[in-house]
Structures are given as C-alpha cells and as structure tokens.
Amino acid sequence: MTAPLKHPDTTIVDVALGDRAYDIVIGRDVLGSLGARVAALRPGVRTAIVTDKTVAKHWLQATEASLSAAGIPAARIIVDEGEGSKTYAGLEKVSEALIAAKIERNDLVIALGGGVVGDLTGFAAAILRRGVDFVQVPTSLLAQVDSSVGGKTGINSPQGKNLLGAFHQPVLVIADTAVLDTLSPRQFRAGYAEVAKYGVLGDEAFFAWLEANHTDLFNGGAAREHAIATSCRAKAAIVARDERETGDRALLNLGHTFGHALEAATGFSDRLFHGEGVAIGMVLAAQFSASLGMIPPSDAIRVERHLADVGLPTHLQDIAGFAQEGLADADALMTLMAQDKKVRRGKLTFILLEAVGRAVIAKDVEPAPVREFLQSKLKA
Ligand SMILES: NC(=O)c1ccc[n+]([C@@H]2O[C@H](COP(=O)([O-])OP(=O)(O)OC[C@H]3O[C@@H](n4cnc5c(N)ncnc54)[C@H](O)[C@@H]3O)[C@@H](O)[C@H]2O)c1
Ligand SMILES: [Zn+2]
C-alpha cells in the first residue's frame, strides 16, 4: 500500500443493471476515446453536447474533436453555469435546443459538465420524445464519483431542491481524471467529501487508504484514478442492489440530512458548497452516533481529523460568515431537516455509524436528542 501507484491506462467499472447495464470508463485522457466508444455503441448516431459556459471554455473543443474524429455529428447547447440552470427555464432552453437540433429517439445526448449539467441534461433526455439515451461526461470530482452514476436526474422547484426528476440511467460514463485539473481547488475539495463518504459508510480499508494517500489524489497522481474507481464501484454496487432507493441506497445519504439543512440555512449560496455541507454533516453524524454510544468518540475524531486534514470544514463554526451572520438556531435546523427527509410519526431517519466503515439506516430517531445535540454544537 505504500509503494506509489502508477497511472493505470483505463479502469472500467460496470454498473450491473441488467439490460440497462453500462460502463464507467475512468482514466487520464479518456475523453479522447469518447468518439470511438460512442461510434462502437451506436453506429451512425447523431449527438448534441450540453455543457455550461465554464466547462465549454476548457473542454468543449476536445469533446467535439473526439466525436468528429469518429465521424459523429454533434450540436452544442451551452447553459449558464451553476444551480440557476437546474430550473424550469433551464430545462425549457435545453429541451427546445435538443428538438431544434433534431435529436431523435435513436440519437444520443451528451452531458459534459458537473452535477448541474448532468442532472439537467439527463432529465431533458428522459422526457425528450419520451426518452432518449444519454452519455455522461462528468467534469467535476463530485460528478465523477457521485452524480453521473446511478441515474438520478432532475431539476429544482422554487419550493425545494431536486423535487422534479426521473430515474434515467446513462448508457456510458466517461470520467477523465485530467479534466479535473481545471476545477477550482475549493470545488475539488468539496467533491472529495463524497469520496471520503464511501470509506466512512462502507469501507474502512478505503478510508485508511485515503488517510495515507490523499495528497497524491489532490495532486493528480495515480491515487486519483484509484479513488474515483473505488468510489464508482461502491456507488455502482449500492445502485445495483437498490436502484430506486427503497432500502440500502439511502446509505449514500450519510452526512446529507445535516448537510442539506446547512445548505438550506445558508440559502444554497457560495457560503457552503454541497460537499462542504456533507463534510460537516458527516462529522455531525459521527458525533451524534458517538453521543448515542454507537461508536467510541475516537472514531468520530478520526473522521473529523481526516476531513480537516484535506482542508474541508468540519464544524458549524467553519461555515463562512458564522461569526458575523450566525446560522439558523437548532429549531430552525430541525424544521429544515424535517422538510428534507420524510418524518414518520414525528420521528426522523438518519444514517448513523456503527463503526468507521459501517453505516446503518436509523429510522426512528427521536427529535429531542437531535435538537439537544445541535444546540450543543451551535454553542461549541
Ligand atoms: N444525480 C445525483 O445522483 C446527484 C448526486 C449528487 C449531487 N447531485 C447534484 O449535482 C449538483 C452539484 O454538482 P457539482 O458540484 O458538480 O456542481 P456544478 O455542476 O455546478 O459544478 C461546479 C462548478 O464547477 C465548474 N466546473 C465543472 N467542471 C469543471 C472543470 N473540469 N473545470 C473547471 N470548472 C468546472 C462548473 O462550471 C460550476 O461552476 C447539484 O445540483 C446536486 O443536486 C446530483
Ligand atoms: Zn452529495
């Protein structure tokens, strides 16, 4: 485990979903193989690439070149970057552009971007002519390890995030780890929280490996491919068991019940990126598990230390503007959590830890100890 890894050529992770199975192709510079892979999958296909302005600046040309070298025509559809495009207006823009580009039932839509572009494009493809296949080319770390895998697509409602959507699996995912070199360090770090999450929720050995190898991963060494492949395998295994989240898939929400409440409390603004909320949320979930006697306090400290080591926020007090603007009080956070997750007879569902590497779905969590716990954390 201590010898430096070499860049593997290409790693392929199979998402085993029967007749909807697909490959996730992971590696440095695999974007160049997009055209050949699409041509092999769908000879004679026409495509449209949906991307955002920032990603277009860095990666649209290379994507178009790869398709064109394989003789595949590609229209381009460019939306504004950011969550503001995951809206009815964004969906209308993309859908109308796909129709104008004459993308038909047997054609392919290509999502080139982070989770916003992936969710929006996947949903547009799901409803275009009652369903057109699509390819994910995730360009953020979060998208490569999480949002591009598993088939959840959708947009936001003014009443809440991700309230409109469809399960629509891609037919291919191309995760080029070199593309991450142009991502801002803060975005990269936020995506890393989801990588660490796979270790904390189900794989202690992977978590220990991350503790030892995170520097190489951040620097673009071969640890990056290994971590992305391991994360995709973990997600693919859970999705294959429970595609529509009737059971185990909920484990992927580790850190997200607290995290979403913090995102909502900061208005889904740049004060807190999603992955940063997940990092704090994971620490809170670990600390709360420790307060219930499910894990020793040293396990919660271990999770916190690793996330802090890579520069992620781990405390409520780390949220930008906490000292000046404060944050919602415990009651307001409780209300936000109740809105986010189904409350059954006044009880909350949380993903808690039985060990580092073993998360469980706790369905009947009483609100009172959660409120008390949050109060103590807000004061700390
Ligand atoms: N479908 C799912 O299962 C799932 C899972 C997790 C998150 N999500 C969704 O994903 C979204 C968040 O995804 P995200 O964090 O990737 O956000 P994002 O798509 O907004 O990307 C973050 C920023 O990075 C920029 N960017 C992306 N790739 C880049 C690159 N290679 N170089 C330079 N800049 C680049 C984008 O332009 C954007 O400004 C949320 O809407 C969330 O709800 C979906
Ligand atoms: Zn997440």
Side-chain angles (χ1 to χ4, degrees):
M1 276 296 176
T2 46
L5 295 173
K6 287 205 313 234
H7 285 290
D9 292 316
T10 303
T11 305
I12 296 189
V13 174
D14 163 49
V15 185
L17 286 168
D19 58 355
R20 285 169 298 112
Y22 54 93
D23 286 345
I24 309 167
V25 181
I26 301 158
R28 260 200 176 253
D29 307 319
V30 290
L31 181 57
S33 73
L34 172 70
R37 289 178 194 278
V38 166
L41 205 63
R42 295 287 160 85
V45 78
R46 298 163 47 86
T47 67
I49 304 165
V50 183
T51 190
D52 74 28
K53 285 183 181 150
T54 307
V55 177
K57 202 168 60 196
H58 296 290
W59 300 104
L60 182 55
Q61 244 184 0
T63 308
E64 288 176 337
S66 173
L67 291 166
S68 129
I72 299 167
R76 47 157 83 169
I77 299 168
I78 302 176
V79 300
D80 290 336
E81 63 280 324
E83 206 66 31
S85 285
K86 244 181 83 172
T87 54
Y88 284 110
L91 180 66
E92 179 176 358
K93 176 174 170 173
V94 171
S95 302
E96 292 304 321
L98 288 170
I99 296 168
K102 303 200 162 49
I103 296 299
E104 300 185 348
R105 273 304 281 278
N106 296 320
D107 293 332
L108 275 181
V109 182
I110 297 173
L112 172 71
V116 163
V117 164
D119 281 12
L120 168 67
T121 306
F123 189 39
I127 59 175
L128 177 68
R129 302 177 196 277
R130 298 198 178 83
V132 171
D133 284 343
F134 84 117
V135 173
Q136 289 269 21
V137 184
T139 63
S140 69
L141 180 56
L142 181 135
Q144 295 196 348
V145 299
D146 190 357
S147 62
S148 69
V149 177
K152 282 190 183 176
T153 72
I155 59 169
N156 304 322
S157 147
Q159 301 184 66
K161 267 203 81 174
N162 297 328
L163 289 181
L164 301 144
F167 283 99
H168 189 48
Q169 299 290 346
V171 295
L172 175 68
V173 181
I174 302 280
D176 185 334
T177 55
V179 162
L180 303 178
D181 291 343
T182 58
L183 196 62
S184 79
R186 187 179 167 196
Q187 290 285 5
F188 188 93
R189 211 181 297 120
Y192 180 82
E194 305 278 8
V195 174
K197 182 187 79 176
Y198 293 111
V200 179
L201 79 83
D203 189 345
E204 194 274 338
F206 181 49
F207 189 74
W209 183 86
L210 290 171
E211 288 175 313
N213 292 283
H214 63 85
T215 310
D216 188 48
L217 189 163
F218 275 79
N219 290 341
R224 185 181 284 180
E225 278 98 87
H226 178 73
I228 291 171
T230 305
S231 300
C232 287
R233 260 184 226 112
K235 181 155 185 187
I238 291 178
V239 168
R241 283 206 300 274
D242 178 23
E243 187 179 3
R244 293 192 171 235
E245 196 166 321
T246 52
D248 265 13
R249 188 163 178 169
L251 292 172
L252 297 172
N253 294 332
L254 173 65
H256 283 62
T257 306
F258 288 119
H260 280 157
L262 299 174
E263 280 184 89
T266 46
F268 296 99
S269 68
D270 280 356
R271 281 179 68 189
L272 190 70
F273 287 172
H274 172 76
E276 296 170 339
V278 170
I280 299 174
M282 259 192 300
V283 173
L284 291 174
Q287 290 171 337
F288 185 60
S289 304
S291 79
L292 297 175
M294 294 173 66
I295 55 170
S298 56
D299 277 358
I301 291 169
R302 182 179 173 197
V303 172
E304 176 190 337
R305 189 184 312 123
H306 177 57
L307 297 173
D309 271 354
V310 305
L312 279 163
T314 52
H315 293 97
L316 298 174
Q317 287 73 8
D318 295 339
I319 296 173
F322 185 93
Q324 303 81 9
E325 299 168 50
L327 199 71
D329 61 18
D331 283 328
L333 289 176
M334 292 298 293
T335 307
L336 290 169
M337 285 197 287
Q339 270 165 6
D340 184 53
K341 294 286 166 242
K342 285 188 294 282
V343 184
R344 289 188 323 164
R345 284 183 227 100
K347 301 199 175 154
L348 295 156
T349 297
F350 275 96
I351 311 305
L352 299 177
L353 296 183
E354 286 181 346
V356 173
R358 201 163 72 241
V360 288
I361 305 169
K363 280 199 172 126
D364 290 318
V365 178
E366 296 285 351
V370 182
R371 182 182 292 108
E372 232 169 80
F373 169 75
L374 281 174
Q375 262 157 1
S376 74
K377 291 294 152 193
L378 283 161
K379 269 192 267 155

